[in-house]
Amino acid sequence: MNQEQIKLLIDSLAASDLAELSFSENGSTLRLVKKATPAEDGSPSTARVAEPVAPSTAADASTLCVAPLYGVVHLQPTPGEPPYVRVGQGIAAGQTLCVIEAMKVFNEVRADADGMIEAVLVASGDEVEGGQALFRIHRGQPDV
């Protein structure tokens, strides 16, 4: 993870309604949390906090799968076919979650770890920004 990626994630979180964002890459996890603090004039303001999370802690938490680049998201291989993944579905590391089309190139977005899809945060055909949340994924063992 480089500084440019971290800045992009911070800016994406600041521009969204999300209160928290987690991003995992190469065994490292970055957790960003917005904390609202009242300003002196009484209006709310937001502070941004970057908090690295140990991989063992992140293994049992929900994380966000974010778009690696700007483009149009496709949640299914072709219109009329079932989506790559559904809410509640277990996923394996390396499994295709969606495809982002950018400049006529289709870029697969793959799961970086095993888990379960908790939420799909975009619709097929949506334009997404790099760093925008696509899926919320539970990284721990499913409750039995």
Side-chain angles (χ1 to χ4, degrees):
M1 217 175 307
N2 63 40
Q3 286 182 334
E4 188 173 295
Q5 287 175 310
I6 294 170
K7 182 180 180 335
L8 180 64
L9 290 170
I10 290 170
D11 292 341
S12 296
L13 178 62
S16 75
D17 293 330
L18 296 173
E20 181 175 322
L21 180 129
S22 294
F23 178 74
S24 298
E25 182 180 73
N26 299 328
S28 297
T29 300
L30 175 70
R31 182 170 167 242
L32 303 171
V33 180
K34 280 196 238 184
K35 293 192 179 186
T37 57
E40 292 180 4
D41 64 355
S43 64
S45 65
T46 303
R48 291 183 252 165
V49 178
E51 175 186 327
V53 177
S56 60
T57 303
D60 293 324
S62 294
T63 59
L64 294 176
C65 171
V66 299
L69 72 163
Y70 169 84
V72 176
V73 68
H74 299 280
L75 298 177
Q76 57 208 54
T78 59
E81 286 192 35
Y84 290 104
V85 294
R86 296 180 191 270
V87 172
Q89 177 182 340
I91 56 170
Q95 180 176 344
T96 301
L97 303 176
C98 67
V99 174
I100 296 179
E101 180 183 359
M103 297 175 57
K104 308 268 186 214
V105 176
F106 292 87
N107 303 279
E108 290 186 336
V109 177
R110 297 179 176 268
D112 63 350
D114 295 347
M116 182 189 72
I117 301 293
E118 286 186 338
V120 178
L121 305 173
V122 294
S124 208
D126 284 355
E127 286 188 21
V128 295
E129 297 289 330
Q132 180 178 338
L134 303 172
F135 302 93
R136 188 171 55 240
I137 300 172
H138 182 75
R139 298 291 185 194
Q141 296 295 323
D143 296 330
V144 182

